[in-house]
Amino acid sequence: MQIRWIQLLEFRNYRTLSYRPSAKLNLLVGRNAQGKTNLLEGIAVLLVGRSFRTPRLAELPRWGSPSASIAGEISRGDSTRTLRRTLQQTESGGWQAVGDHCEWARAIPFSWQDLAILTGGPGARRNFLDGFAGRLYPSHLAALVQYRKILARRAVLLQKGQADRLAPWDEQLATVGTELLGRRRSATAALQTELARIYPLLAGGPQKVEIRYRASLEATDPGAFLAGLERRRQEELRRGQTLVGPHRDDLLIELDGVDARVYGSRGQQRLLALALRLAEVLPVAEATGTPPVLLLDDALSELDAPGRASVLAELRAAEQVFLTTADPAFPAADGARWEVRAGDLVAA
Ligand SMILES: Nc1ncnc2c1ncn2[C@@H]1O[C@H](COP(=O)(O)OP(=O)(O)O)[C@@H](O)[C@H]1O
Ligand SMILES: [Mg+2]
């Protein structure tokens, strides 16, 4: 897919912006705090209705502005769609996003905070996997929200020692939990195939990468899930929380047979973080019938020269990409180049 044009109105530090990006690689060059990440964020809001940076809509309208709007035209093959989204305040003082939604529009964001997939705790890896699974399976994120609500209910009952009232919640947890597990496993398998192809290209060597889902509870059907809960009942009552299930799982990422989180060099971990995002592209393209838009925030800054060159080579083969950089000497590559300056964009 591609964005033909986008307009931002009162969004972050943009008063008004009209931008016709290139269909392939777009380089957005600018010093710090000029609006590079804000522009990527605006693109994400246009495509999927939310930011990759914050769950709080209130942060997005320009300070002091009562609303923000984002409009644009996107295309998939020969078909085009015009989307408009407005962020506005509700009567109760909260913020809401209203407007069009396109079922095949997807954005894959990357920033160096993604290094946490390798260096952070299991929660960072679960978030990564759930974000990807959400791009593959539209119902995944809603199921995740539901799962968390059930966990909260169970925690209350477990803490009060009301074991006799757990049954309906156990049933629900087992149903939704099994669903989440199934989708996470398929997502992991799709990532594995692509990661094994992409990482060696980026690293410039034949390293073997493996990514595996580590479940705290092995269950492919709700019955097995329930049995797993049952086994931990006493301990759960003692500790007042649900001890097994998708919220306790992890991803194992191995490089040449050893855990990349523990033994990987910083450079390897950086390339892996980026490779994991790039590995999302093909499975998402297959799920939606069109390659997603890539939003890469400063993605090359932490790489060495060979790493940068191989990532750029990959990006040239990709569809529409937005790549920000603070480096004015950044090689123009074959991309179209813009300068971001104080909430404005000039062709450079
Ligand atoms: N809601 C907002 N309204 C106006 N300005 C904002 C808003 N949110 C952030 N900013 C400003 O936007 C500027 C640029 O942010 P950003 O896009 O993150 O910069 P960078 O070019 O370094 O990626 C910051 O100086 C910040 O103060
Ligand atoms: Mg930035």
Side-chain angles (χ1 to χ4, degrees), residues 158-176:
L158 288 167
Q159 278 153 28
K160 289 186 184 158
Q162 299 180 331
D164 53 321
R165 294 179 55 194
L166 280 170
W169 298 103
D170 289 359
E171 294 276 347
Q172 287 190 49
L173 195 77
T175 307
V176 183

Side-chain angles (χ1 to χ4, degrees), residues 197-220:
R197 184 182 69 81
I198 292 169
Y199 183 78
L201 290 177
L202 300 194
Q207 276 113 325
K208 185 164 172 288
V209 206
E210 237 182 305
I211 174 164
R212 277 200 302 270
Y213 192 75
R214 268 217 307 230
S216 55
L217 172 60
E218 294 291 346
T220 50

Side-chain angles (χ1 to χ4, degrees), residues 101-144:
H101 171 77
C102 174
E103 63 284 356
W104 44 261
R106 297 285 189 282
I108 296 182
F110 172 84
S111 80
W112 286 110
Q113 295 190 352
D114 289 345
L115 196 54
I117 303 168
L118 276 303
T119 58
R125 284 176 290 285
R126 288 194 298 266
N127 282 343
F128 160 69
L129 188 59
D130 285 327
F132 173 51
R135 288 185 262 285
L136 294 180
Y137 315 107
S139 61
H140 188 74
L141 296 181
L144 201 61

Side-chain angles (χ1 to χ4, degrees), residues 10-14 30-41 53 58-64 297 324 326 340 343:
E10 301 288 308
F11 181 87
R12 292 280 196 187
N13 69 331
Y14 291 89
R31 300 176 53 180
N32 281 332
Q34 300 302 304
K36 300 182 299 296
T37 306
N38 292 348
L39 178 52
L40 298 186
E41 198 177 28
R53 189 152 58 161
E59 293 174 18
L60 306 179
R62 216 168 66 86
W63 294 322
D297 202 6
T324 69
V340 182

